[in-house]
Amino acid sequence: MGYLYVAILLCGMFTIVGFFTEKKILFNPITMFCGLWSVVLFFSSQKKFTMNVASSERNALILYGLIAYVFGYYVNKVFLDRVHIKIGKFSRYQTDKKNNAVPRYKLLYTLCTICLAYTMYDLARVVLQAGTLNLGTIQGMLQSGEISNSNSSILNAIIILVISPIKFILPAITAVDFFYGKRDKKLLWMTVGLILINMLSTANRTSFLLFFLWLFFVATLYLYHNAEKKNAIVLKIRKYKREIVCVGLVAFIIMTSSRTSSSIYRQLYLYFSMPPSMFEIWANKVDTAGIYGYGIASLLGFVYPIFYILKNICGIPMPSIVSQMYDWTMLTDTTWVWPGENILANAYVSSFWFFYIDARMIGIIVGMFVFGIVLSRSYSNVVARNCSARQITVYCCLLYAVLFSFVRFQFSLTKISIGLLFTMFFAYKMKKKE
């Protein structure tokens, strides 16, 4: 238990430290990551609803990972950031400093239309099988496998490589465009429509909440860069207040249907308290199997699509280690285990488990250290006054990995990894700054 309380104190301390060292911007990687894990670790120590407390050995690994993340973040901030500034043309995102990143609107319209068409088809399929639009019922049937999926192999490939990544990253691109672009109304309403339809077809409210989170974060960043435009921004928000209220009201009705306050409280508590216990359960399974991922598990979202394409187009067999890591990551989502008495759960193994399966304690320390460096680097890009829309969208993607680090390491997912690559190389075109 000692390691657990040390980790809680460390997270609480750096939640506050990060707020002041990072120019009092709430959405900085230190405050968000340490604040989140202070809640997770505190909840996990309470034993409410008969939730188990992870062993000292597993809590020690989490503590080492937290220290490595914070250390990596400040190593980049104090040393590496300055080095890269000095070496001229090799500085980070040099093209973003010299050019404006403009969304490829026609490409985004086309991809969003494809996503809308599939999502409406998916909604019709789900409603026909469920016989209702009640999100609680649909969610239960999806989790139990009562709603079947008969997509062809070609359609599945399109979903994996195109539709899912675009559905993930489009809300962030749209939120950034609202403040740093031309506020394209067509893109905005297509994105909102896609989010609402997707929420109904998957019974998942996360995408809608994330869209408002991105809007709030980008607005905060925009005010930081343009403090003198505060009044103008307030006026623009008032201009769109009817649309905001209407969308929010519709979403609130949908999201709160079929849920009681007690079930919401219990679910939220279990979500934020189970990761250490789930990490221990699946770490024990990995130890028993004696397997190592050597980095493949953590970066599966980047690696798997390459071999998926080679297998289905060229007939080249997928390497056994890639197949093995894919199977293990799928097992954490599909296998239900007991993190507490009368508590049955899946997923929520946290980012630490993915680094653990790759290289045990060394994997956690190295993985979290590098993760801290990457977040620090991206954050320093977006707080610079000459940052671009592309850099901000990339940071939104990375911040998502921070916010949901208690569930899994997000770059083990294809949709997150491809969404990041799409943002970096295809979503924007560069125009010379005047």
Side-chain angles (χ1 to χ4, degrees):
M1 293 293 286
Y3 289 112
L4 177 58
Y5 293 128
V6 171
I8 294 172
L9 289 173
L10 178 75
C11 286
M13 180 179 71
F14 275 99
T15 299
I16 299 169
V17 169
F19 180 72
F20 288 101
T21 63
E22 302 312 308
K23 304 177 176 63
K24 296 186 179 180
I25 298 178
L26 178 62
F27 289 89
N28 71 75
I30 286 292
T31 296
M32 297 303 295
F33 183 78
C34 291
L36 168 69
W37 276 94
S38 64
V39 172
V40 170
L41 294 172
F42 176 75
F43 278 13
S44 73
S45 69
Q46 299 303 298
K47 299 183 182 179
K48 266 193 172 182
F49 301 112
T50 68
M51 178 64 67
N52 294 335
V53 177
S55 66
S56 294
E57 179 186 358
R58 303 310 181 188
N59 281 322
L61 292 174
I62 293 175
L63 173 61
Y64 301 152
L66 294 170
I67 293 172
Y69 176 87
V70 173
F71 187 62
Y73 183 90
Y74 283 108
V75 163
N76 178 79
K77 180 180 175 65
V78 176
F79 301 107
L80 303 183
D81 235 15
R82 296 179 180 180
V83 171
H84 277 271
I85 289 173
K86 291 179 180 178
I87 59 177
K89 64 180 181 179
F90 297 105
S91 299
R92 63 186 183 278
Y93 274 95
Q94 194 67 17
T95 54
D96 290 75
K97 294 179 180 180
K98 295 179 179 179
N99 302 276
N100 288 319
V102 180
R104 299 182 189 271
Y105 291 107
K106 290 184 179 179
L107 174 62
L108 295 175
Y109 297 155
T110 302
L111 293 173
C112 190
T113 301
I114 294 171
C115 292
L116 278 167
Y118 172 76
T119 307
M120 287 188 286
Y121 157 76
D122 196 42
L123 175 61
R125 177 183 63 84
V126 168
V127 171
L128 284 174
Q129 293 189 56
T132 179
L133 265 174
N134 183 284
L135 293 189
T137 302
I138 291 174
Q139 187 179 55
M141 294 180 72
L142 285 170
Q143 290 177 344
S144 64
E146 294 178 62
I147 296 179
S148 61
N149 186 338
S150 57
N151 293 334
S152 66
S153 58
I154 295 176
L155 181 55
N156 279 331
I158 295 172
I159 293 169
I160 292 171
L161 301 174
V162 179
I163 293 175
S164 292
I166 297 303
K167 283 163 66 175
F168 162 71
I169 202 62
L170 192 62
I173 293 174
T174 304
V176 175
D177 180 64
F178 188 81
F179 288 97
Y180 286 86
K182 68 176 187 179
R183 298 183 181 89
D184 188 86
K185 288 186 177 181
K186 185 177 180 180
L187 181 63
L188 174 63
W189 287 115
M190 289 180 75
T191 301
V192 170
L194 178 62
I195 291 170
L196 290 175
I197 297 170
N198 185 67
M199 186 168 63
L200 290 171
S201 65
T202 62
N204 190 325
R205 302 151 178 86
T206 305
S207 59
F208 186 85
L209 294 174
L210 274 174
F211 183 49
F212 275 89
L213 179 66
W214 298 149
L215 283 171
F216 181 64
F217 160 65
V218 180
T220 303
L221 188 63
Y222 188 80
L223 283 174
Y224 171 76
H225 289 143
N226 305 275
E228 70 281 0
K229 295 183 180 181
K230 182 176 181 179
N231 292 333
I233 294 172
V234 171
L235 288 174
K236 288 185 182 297
I237 292 174
R238 288 177 180 174
K239 180 181 177 181
Y240 291 99
K241 66 180 180 180
R242 289 183 180 179
E243 290 86 347
I244 294 172
V245 170
C246 288
V247 172
L249 185 61
V250 170
F252 179 78
I253 292 171
I254 294 173
M255 291 169 68
T256 54
S257 63
S258 76
R259 293 293 180 96
T260 64
S261 59
S262 60
S263 68
I264 291 174
Y265 170 73
R266 184 178 187 275
Q267 277 196 328
L268 285 176
Y269 179 84
L270 292 180
Y271 287 159
F272 286 103
S273 64
M274 72 171 68
S277 182
M278 294 293 282
F279 166 58
E280 178 169 40
I281 290 170
W282 283 98
N284 291 340
K285 290 179 181 290
V286 166
D287 288 342
T288 301
I291 59 169
Y292 288 82
Y294 303 106
I296 299 295
S298 304
L299 301 177
L300 189 66
F302 296 105
V303 175
Y304 182 77
I306 297 172
F307 293 103
Y308 178 85
I309 293 171
L310 290 175
K311 178 183 177 183
N312 288 277
I313 294 179
C314 305
I316 299 174
M318 190 170 293
S320 59
I321 189 172
V322 177
S323 297
Q324 189 179 46
M325 290 303 104
Y326 178 81
D327 292 341
W328 271 90
T329 55
M330 289 298 102
L331 276 176
T332 63
D333 286 336
T334 58
T335 305
W336 294 77
V337 295
W338 301 89
E341 186 180 345
N342 300 320
I343 299 174
L344 191 62
N346 65 336
Y348 292 89
V349 293
S350 82
S351 296
F352 299 105
W353 180 80
F354 288 85
F355 296 126
Y356 185 82
I357 193 175
D358 276 332
R360 305 301 190 263
M361 182 176 69
I362 297 300
I364 289 177
I365 293 173
V366 173
M368 293 305 294
F369 178 77
V370 173
F371 191 42
I373 290 176
V374 170
L375 263 297
S376 178
R377 188 180 180 85
S378 180
Y379 178 73
S380 66
N381 286 334
V382 300
V383 295
R385 192 167 184 81
N386 57 355
C387 70
S388 72
R390 178 169 68 173
Q391 290 173 316
I392 299 171
T393 307
V394 166
Y395 181 70
C396 286
C397 188
L398 294 173
L399 188 61
Y400 178 88
V402 169
L403 293 173
F404 289 90
S405 60
F406 70 105
V407 181
R408 63 176 63 85
F409 188 63
Q410 296 300 322
F411 295 108
S412 65
L413 297 178
T414 300
K415 69 174 185 178
I416 312 297
S417 302
I418 294 181
L420 176 62
L421 295 176
F422 174 76
T423 300
M424 295 175 68
F425 300 110
F426 302 105
Y428 294 91
K429 57 185 176 182
M430 309 308 291
K431 287 189 175 182
K432 199 76 174 178
K433 289 182 179 178
E434 297 179 0

